[in-house]
């Protein structure tokens, strides 16, 4: 049932709707009447036309059809009467309907008025009732607030009672020396403390925390004391490796009881882990070192670490002779020795206890993690003292990297745990590391390039190993880069690795510039040993960098670089796409520069040899090709004497460079040389002369039996590299009939019907049709046709 106010609001709206309904009904009736009147007027206008159309349809032009008029009149009269009856019926029913609707509307209005009167009455009675009940509501609200407050007090007292009950239980268990049950109840109390953290009852929280802290200290002290006694019976800690082996194989009668007690105490201490984490703030280094978040070392392992921590602080803190800032290897080696000495005991005795307790902790790694914190604290305090002494800082970094390598490889320390690399990654220390790394690398480069053996391969006497003919300086340099990679590959973050990668690229570019400077000094002697050694060095560095580009480590760095470049909008979309699709690599810029230098040096060598060959070929160019005897006039064909200087020069230089350049470089060299030589002989010797039959045969003999075989040691079919010369010799040595036929075919050929098939038939694939025509015109042994 609606309240009086709401009914009062609804009823007037219903009256308005009723009035609107009546008005709309009257408007609809008026519209209907008007529409009928309009239709009647239209029908009056259309009546004569309709009658004419009807008569035309029924009678038409046939006069005999007039006989039908009587029947039509009767039908029309009958239809008229029916329509009149229908009209009278309808006209009598409409007023009755209207009267009925009006009557219904009046009745609805009366009901509505009654509702309005009821609404007014109800509204006044409800208002009166609310005024009467208001004091009761106020009293009831106050009582409810009191009840809620009492319930809160009761809940508060229940919590206090529960805490006191748990505290009493712990006290009773401790009085009966039932430590395991006391520890279990402390675990329950700790869970309640954690649940109460969201409460605003500060005093209750303080009371709970103080109670947990009180019993935790008592239980921890008692269990720690008992645990240390058991460890002492096992001669813990194992300072020497012999001691750890002795404990491992000792089988005294009391050993099972000792280990059983060890397990019991270890499990009880493990129960205190939650309360210990709640009460103890873990030691943390400053945020600048960005150490990964990790839980504190479990309580029993902390107790086992305590004597070792004391020893470490005794020897490597303060004014002890063992605390020497220039000897970081002392404390690093000490920690590695402790980890190794205790590994067997932890794996064999402690790990099974953790597994029985359903703990996911690895005893050996937890022990290593605790000792690692000693190292991190020591490094954090020592590094600022030696940051600007290059030698001491470099020595520290070297020792730390050796320590990290052994820790990860031998003892299986995970890379996700806090390590020394996090300390070295701190901004100030890291920038100093980069600076020192660059400085010592440049010093190494200076010393290797100034060495007497810089350009000599250390494997020169071992043919199988010395395929690349790498000079010592290049090999030492790439070894240096490889060592740098090993030094930074375990850094914890990709941005730090990318900074080292940039350092490597800078060093490669610096070494390339130094090689270029030395090369320019040797430019006048581009065939000498030192120039070739520089070229071999450039080729070796480029090859190794290309191999590194496919290494998983550098591919991961490429992905990291892609993300950094995308964030900073450093590269274009095309370059980002090439990096993402692995079309390019992180070393592409360096490789391109080295390849350009390599090509430039090879070009210089090719040009030098080519100039010598051209000088040696001067006599061969002036050979009298028109007057040489034919092959039938000679007993045996022999090499042209004028070709000997050319071939000797070529042979000597090929042998020299084959010995001085690595295989891949020499292959590029002789192919570049052959390309120039082929064009030179074709243009400067063949096209510049006319040939009789003997001259053409001599040229072919010199080329195919003497020049081409010089390169047969480097490839199976050297003639394929002398395409111009080989095909020119074919054209010049065609028999007369074939030459005449080919000439006619070429003369009759057109753009639409080229003579390609005819040229291919005689072995011509490289030369164009016009070139073949020119060569045919260089022949002088044509038959006399009388023209």
């Amino acid at each position: 049932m609606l309240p009086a106010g709401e009914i009062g609001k609804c009823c007037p709206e219903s009256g308005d709707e009723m009035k609107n309904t009546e008005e709309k009904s009257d408007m609809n009736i008026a519209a209907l009447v008007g529409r009928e009147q309009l239709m009647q007027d239209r029908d009056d206008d259309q009546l004569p036309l309709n009658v004419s159309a009807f008569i035309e349809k029924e009678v038409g032009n046939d006069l005999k059809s007039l006989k039908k008029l009587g029947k039509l009149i009767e039908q029309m009269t009958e239809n008229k009467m029916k329509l009149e009856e229908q009209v009278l019926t309808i006209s009598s029913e409409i007023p009755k309907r209207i009267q009925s609707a009006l009557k219904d509307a009046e009745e609805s209005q009366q009901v509505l008025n009654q509702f309005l009167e009821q609404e007014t009455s109800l509204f006044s009675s409800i208002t009166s009732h609310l005024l009467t009940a208001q004091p009761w509501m106020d009293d009831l609200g106050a009582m409810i607030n009191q009840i809620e407050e009492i319930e809160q007090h009761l809940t508060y007292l229940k919590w206090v009672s529960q805490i006191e009950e748990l505290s009493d239980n712990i006290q009773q268990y401790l009085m009966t020396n039932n430590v395991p049950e006391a520890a279990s109840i402390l675990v329950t109390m700790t869970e309640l403390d954690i649940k109460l953290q969201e409460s605003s009852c500060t005093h209750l929280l303080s009371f709970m925390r103080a109670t947990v802290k009180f019993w935790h200290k008592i239980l921890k002290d008692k269990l720690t004391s008992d645990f240390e006694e058991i460890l002492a019976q096992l001669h813990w800690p194992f300072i020497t490796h012999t001691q750890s082996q002795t404990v491992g194989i000792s089988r005294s009668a009391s050993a099972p009881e000792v280990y059983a007690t060890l397990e019991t105490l270890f499990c009880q201490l493990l129960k205190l882990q939650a309360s210990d984490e709640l009460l103890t703030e873990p030691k943390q280094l400053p945020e600048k070192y960005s150490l990964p978040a990790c839980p504190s070392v479990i309580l029993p392992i902390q107790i086992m670490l305590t004597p070792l921590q004391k020893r470490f602080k005794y020897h490597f803190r303060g004014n002890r002779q063992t605390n020497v800032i220039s000897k970081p290897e002392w404390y690093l080696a000490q920690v590695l020795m402790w980890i190794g000495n205790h590994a067997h005991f932890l794996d064999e005795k402690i790990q099974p206890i953790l597994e029985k307790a359903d703990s996911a902790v690895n005893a050996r790694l937890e022990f290593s993690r605790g000792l690692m914190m000693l190292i991190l604290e020591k490094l954090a305090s020592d590094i600022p003292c030696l940051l600007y002494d290059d030698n001491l800082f470099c020595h520290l970094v070297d020792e730390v990297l050796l320590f990290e390598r052994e820790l990860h490889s031998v003892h299986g320390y995970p890379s996700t745990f806090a390590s020394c690399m996090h300390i070295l990654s701190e901004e100030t220390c890291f920038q100093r590391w980069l600076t020192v790394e660059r400085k010592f690398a440049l010093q190494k480069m200076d010393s290797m390039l100034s060495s007497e053996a810089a350009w000599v391969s250390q494997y020169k006497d071992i043919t199988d190993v010395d395929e690349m003919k790498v000079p010592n300086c290049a090999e030492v340099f790439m070894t240096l880069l490889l060592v740098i990679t090993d030094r930074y590959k375990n850094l914890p973050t990709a941005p730090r690795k990318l900074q080292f990668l940039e350092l490597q690229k800078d060093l490669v570019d610096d070494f390339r510039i130094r090689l270029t400077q030395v090369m320019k000094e040797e430019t006048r002697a581009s065939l000498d040993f030192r120039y070739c050694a520089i070229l071999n060095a450039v080729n070796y560095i480029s090859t190794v960098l290309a191999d590194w580009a496919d290494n998983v480590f550098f591919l991961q760095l490429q992905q990291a670089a892609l993300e950094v470049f995308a964030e900073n909008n450093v590269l274009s979309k095309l370059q980002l796409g090439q990096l993402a699709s692995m079309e390019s690599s992180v070393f592409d810029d360096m490789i391109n520069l080295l390849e350009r230098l390599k090509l430039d040096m090879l070009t210089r060598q090719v040009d030098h040899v080519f100039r010598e060959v051209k000088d040696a070929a001067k006599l061969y160019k002036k050979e009298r090709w028109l007057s040489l005897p034919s092959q039938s006039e000679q007993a045996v064909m022999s090499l042209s004497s004028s070709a000997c200087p050319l071939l000797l020069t070529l042979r000597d230089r090929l042998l020299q460079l084959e010995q001085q350049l690595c295989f891949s470089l020499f292959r590029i060299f002789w192919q570049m040389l052959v390309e120039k030589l082929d064009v030179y002989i074709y243009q400067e010797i063949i096209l510049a002369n006319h040939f009789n039959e003997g001259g053409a045969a001599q040229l072919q003999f010199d080329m195919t039996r003497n020049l081409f075989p010089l390169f047969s040691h480097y490839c199976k079919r050297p003639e394929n590299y002398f395409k111009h010369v080989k095909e020119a010799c074919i054209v010049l040595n065609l028999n007369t009939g074939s030459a005449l036929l080919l000439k006619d075919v070429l003369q009759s050929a057109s753009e639409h019907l080229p003579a390609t098939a005819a040229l291919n038939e005689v072995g011509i694939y490289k030369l164009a049709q016009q070139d073949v025509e020119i060569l045919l015109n260089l022949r002088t042994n044509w038959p006399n046709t009388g023209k």
Side-chain angles (χ1 to χ4, degrees):
M1 181 174 178
L2 291 172
E6 294 186 9
I7 293 174
K9 292 176 183 176
C10 292
C11 289
E13 291 179 4
S14 301
D16 293 342
E17 288 178 3
M18 185 64 72
K19 290 178 182 178
N20 291 338
T21 304
E22 291 175 359
E23 291 174 0
K24 288 180 181 178
S25 178
D26 294 343
M27 290 173 66
N28 290 339
I29 292 171
L32 184 60
V33 171
R35 193 179 302 138
E36 289 178 353
Q37 184 66 37
L38 182 62
M39 291 176 65
Q40 185 176 358
D41 293 343
R42 288 180 180 175
D43 290 344
D44 292 343
D45 294 339
Q46 295 290 331
L47 186 58
L49 297 175
N50 291 337
V51 171
S52 299
F54 179 75
I55 293 174
E56 183 70 25
K57 178 182 176 183
E58 295 293 333
V59 178
N61 297 327
D62 188 4
L63 296 176
K64 294 179 179 180
S65 300
L66 293 174
K67 296 177 181 180
K68 301 179 181 178
L69 287 177
K71 294 181 179 179
L72 287 173
I73 291 171
E74 292 177 1
Q75 290 179 358
M76 292 294 104
T77 304
E78 186 177 352
N79 290 338
K80 179 183 177 185
M81 292 175 64
K82 289 181 179 179
L83 290 172
E84 287 175 349
E85 290 176 0
Q86 291 177 0
V87 169
L88 289 172
T89 302
I90 294 171
S91 62
S92 62
E93 288 179 355
I94 288 175
K96 293 179 181 179
R97 292 181 182 176
I98 293 173
Q99 289 176 359
S100 176
L102 290 172
K103 185 179 179 181
D104 292 341
E106 289 174 355
E107 290 177 354
S108 299
Q109 189 174 6
Q110 291 175 0
V111 172
L112 181 60
N113 291 333
Q114 292 175 2
F115 280 136
L116 289 172
E117 292 174 359
Q118 292 177 8
E119 183 267 337
T120 304
S121 175
L122 284 171
F123 180 77
S124 61
S125 62
I126 289 171
T127 304
S128 175
H129 178 72
L130 289 174
L131 290 173
T132 306
Q134 186 61 43
W136 300 346
M137 294 292 293
D138 294 341
D139 294 341
L140 185 61
M143 291 176 67
I144 290 173
N145 290 335
Q146 289 178 2
I147 291 170
E148 289 178 349
E149 186 177 353
I150 292 170
E151 285 180 346
Q152 290 176 356
H153 292 166
L154 184 61
T155 305
Y156 191 95
L157 290 174
K158 283 181 179 179
W159 275 103
V160 172
S161 175
Q162 188 176 5
I163 295 169
E164 290 179 341
E165 182 182 354
L166 292 172
S167 180
D168 291 341
N169 289 339
I170 293 175
Q171 185 176 8
Q172 291 175 6
Y173 283 127
L174 285 178
M175 290 174 66
T176 58
N177 204 27
N178 192 347
V179 178
E181 288 299 327
S184 298
I185 293 177
L186 182 60
V187 171
T188 305
M189 191 180 291
T190 305
E191 291 173 354
L192 291 178
D193 191 337
I194 294 171
K195 286 181 181 178
L196 279 174
Q197 293 305 308
E198 297 179 0
S199 173
S200 58
C201 302
T202 54
H203 295 293
L204 180 62
L205 288 172
S206 300
F207 175 63
M208 169 66 88
R209 183 60 56 84
T211 307
V212 171
K213 186 175 183 180
F214 175 78
W215 291 117
H216 174 80
K217 184 177 186 308
I218 292 174
L219 284 171
K220 181 179 178 181
D221 290 346
K222 178 174 178 54
L223 290 173
T224 300
S225 175
D226 295 344
F227 193 59
E228 287 175 344
E229 288 181 8
I230 291 297
L231 291 175
Q233 293 180 31
L234 295 172
H235 307 288
W236 182 276
F238 311 141
I239 305 305
T240 63
H241 185 63
T242 308
Q243 184 183 358
S244 66
Q245 289 180 330
T246 305
V247 172
I249 54 179
S250 62
R251 300 293 180 188
S252 62
S254 61
E257 296 179 3
V258 172
Y259 286 123
T261 307
L262 174 72
E263 180 177 348
T264 302
L265 292 172
F266 194 96
C267 291
Q268 292 171 7
L269 284 167
L270 208 55
K271 289 181 180 180
L272 301 185
Q273 182 64 30
S275 57
D276 193 68
E277 290 179 356
L278 194 66
L279 300 170
T280 308
E281 285 290 333
K283 285 186 177 180
Q284 290 185 345
L285 291 173
E287 292 184 2
K288 65 180 182 178
Y289 295 111
S290 303
L291 296 180
C294 58
S296 57
V297 177
I298 59 174
L299 186 56
I301 297 292
Q302 287 183 32
I303 298 169
M304 297 173 75
L305 284 168
T306 302
L308 294 175
Q309 291 170 342
K310 290 179 179 178
R311 285 177 175 273
F312 188 91
K313 291 177 181 177
Y314 176 83
H315 287 292
F316 304 114
R317 292 293 178 94
N319 298 322
R320 298 290 170 185
Q321 292 182 352
T322 48
N323 184 26
V324 183
I325 198 170
S326 62
K327 298 291 183 181
E329 61 269 25
W330 287 357
Y331 60 82
L332 294 172
Q334 182 66 73
V335 167
L336 286 174
M337 186 177 70
W338 285 344
I339 293 174
N341 290 346
H342 297 88
H344 180 75
F345 179 81
L346 292 168
D347 289 339
E348 295 295 325
K349 303 301 179 184
I350 304 301
Q351 189 61 41
I353 300 174
L354 288 168
E355 291 171 358
K356 285 182 183 179
D358 294 328
S359 174
V361 174
N362 183 295
R364 182 155 47 85
L365 293 181
E366 197 76 353
F367 184 79
S368 301
R369 192 158 67 90
L371 290 176
M372 177 58 78
M373 287 307 299
L374 296 173
I375 297 291
L376 299 186
E377 292 170 2
K378 176 67 174 171
L379 287 174
S381 64
D382 282 1
I383 285 178
C385 301
L386 48 79
L387 201 58
Y388 298 101
D389 187 321
D390 290 348
N391 293 321
L392 288 180
F393 182 76
C394 190
H395 176 65
L396 172 71
V397 171
D398 291 341
E399 292 298 331
V400 165
L401 293 175
L402 290 173
F403 169 79
E404 283 279 324
R405 184 178 304 169
E406 184 172 349
L407 187 67
H408 291 289
S409 60
V410 177
H411 301 292
Y413 191 79
S415 58
T416 53
F417 285 6
S419 69
C420 301
M421 302 307 287
H422 289 91
I423 305 298
L424 294 181
S425 296
E426 188 270 326
E427 182 64 26
T428 305
C429 178
F430 185 77
Q431 294 303 326
R432 187 61 185 161
W433 184 11
L434 278 177
T435 303
V436 171
E437 203 76 40
R438 184 189 301 274
K439 174 184 174 182
F440 282 102
L442 292 175
Q443 288 178 359
K444 184 71 174 175
M445 288 163 56
D446 290 335
S447 64
M448 71 174 77
L449 287 173
S450 59
S451 168
E452 294 182 358
W455 307 108
V456 179
S457 171
Q458 57 181 325
Y459 308 111
K460 62 179 181 178
D461 298 327
I462 311 173
T463 307
D464 295 338
V465 180
D466 197 33
E467 290 182 358
M468 298 287 288
K469 294 183 170 60
V470 187
N472 192 44
C473 63
E475 185 148 5
V476 172
F477 175 71
M478 294 312 292
T479 304
L480 174 65
L481 290 185
L482 187 60
V483 169
I484 292 175
T485 303
D486 289 337
R487 288 162 72 85
Y488 78 83
K489 70 188 304 182
N490 291 321
L491 283 169
T493 61
R496 294 301 192 206
K497 295 177 184 177
L498 289 174
Q499 287 180 273
F500 256 102
L501 178 63
E502 288 301 316
L503 169 63
Q504 287 180 301
K505 291 164 71 173
D506 290 345
L507 292 176
V508 171
D509 196 46
D510 190 275
F511 194 70
R512 177 189 63 83
I513 293 171
R514 293 170 188 243
L515 290 178
T516 304
Q517 292 171 346
V518 179
M519 179 269 291
K520 288 180 179 178
E521 296 174 1
E522 303 292 327
T523 302
R524 293 183 179 180
S526 57
L527 302 182
D528 285 357
F529 170 77
R530 191 170 182 179
Y531 190 93
C532 293
I534 297 169
L535 184 52
N536 286 329
V538 172
N539 179 67
Y540 174 69
I541 296 171
S542 176
T543 304
V544 173
L545 290 180
D547 290 341
W548 285 1
D550 296 328
N551 183 281
V552 175
F553 174 71
F554 289 109
L555 290 175
Q556 291 171 345
L557 282 188
Q558 180 173 339
Q559 182 62 32
L562 178 65
E563 295 172 2
V564 172
F565 293 150
E567 289 176 3
N568 300 332
N569 294 323
V570 176
L571 299 179
S572 65
K573 291 184 177 180
L574 175 61
Q575 291 172 317
L576 288 174
Q578 289 175 339
L579 276 174
S581 62
M582 301 300 175
E583 291 180 10
S584 60
S585 72
V586 290
F587 294 112
D588 268 7
D589 293 342
M590 297 298 102
I591 293 174
N592 292 336
L593 290 172
L594 289 167
E595 288 295 317
R596 191 182 306 169
L597 176 59
K598 180 175 78 174
L599 182 60
D600 178 59
M601 294 182 70
L602 278 170
T603 303
R604 290 173 185 270
Q605 287 188 323
V606 170
D607 291 344
H608 184 99
V609 174
F610 185 63
R611 283 194 300 271
E612 291 185 351
V613 170
K614 283 200 300 184
D615 290 340
K618 288 179 180 178
L619 292 176
Y620 194 62
K621 283 177 62 177
K622 298 176 181 178
E623 187 71 50
R624 298 174 59 85
W625 303 102
L626 276 172
S627 58
L628 292 178
S630 65
Q631 189 173 357
S632 59
E633 297 175 0
Q634 301 181 55
V636 178
M637 290 286 290
S638 61
L639 175 66
S640 301
S641 58
S642 58
C644 291
L646 162 68
L647 297 177
L648 286 173
T649 301
L650 195 56
R651 183 201 64 182
D652 292 344
R653 290 310 186 191
L654 287 173
L655 289 175
Q656 177 187 352
L657 291 172
E658 184 183 13
Q659 293 174 356
Q660 294 180 352
L661 295 178
C662 70
F663 176 77
S664 59
L665 285 176
F666 180 68
R667 182 177 65 245
I668 298 171
F669 166 80
W670 72 256
Q671 289 177 358
M672 291 173 64
L673 180 62
V674 162
E675 185 178 355
K676 295 175 73 72
L677 197 58
D678 178 43
V679 174
Y680 172 76
I681 294 174
Y682 175 70
Q683 292 181 348
E684 301 295 329
I685 296 178
I686 297 177
L687 294 182
N689 289 282
H690 286 75
F691 298 85
N692 65 357
E693 182 181 355
Q698 185 63 50
L699 176 69
Q700 186 173 31
F701 181 82
D702 292 343
M703 297 296 107
T704 58
R705 300 291 296 277
N706 294 279
L707 177 63
F708 297 170
L710 281 179
F711 298 90
S712 60
H713 180 62
Y714 316 125
C715 62
K716 292 182 178 180
R717 300 181 64 85
E719 64 273 12
N720 289 337
Y721 291 91
F722 290 90
K723 293 185 182 298
H724 290 90
V725 174
K726 181 184 75 171
E727 294 183 3
C729 289
I730 292 173
V731 173
L732 293 175
N733 285 276
L734 283 174
N735 60 52
T736 305
S738 299
L740 285 170
L741 181 61
L742 181 60
K743 195 171 186 179
D744 291 340
V745 170
L746 295 177
Q747 289 175 351
S748 61
S750 64
E751 293 182 3
H752 302 290
L753 293 172
T756 306
L759 293 173
N760 293 346
E761 188 176 348
V762 296
I764 308 299
Y765 299 94
K766 176 73 174 177
L767 297 178
Q769 180 176 322
Q770 295 81 354
D771 296 331
V772 176
E773 289 178 351
I774 293 171
L775 288 169
L776 288 172
N777 289 330
L778 295 179
R779 293 171 55 119
T780 60
N781 56 328
W782 296 107
N784 187 7
T785 59
K787 294 183 182 180

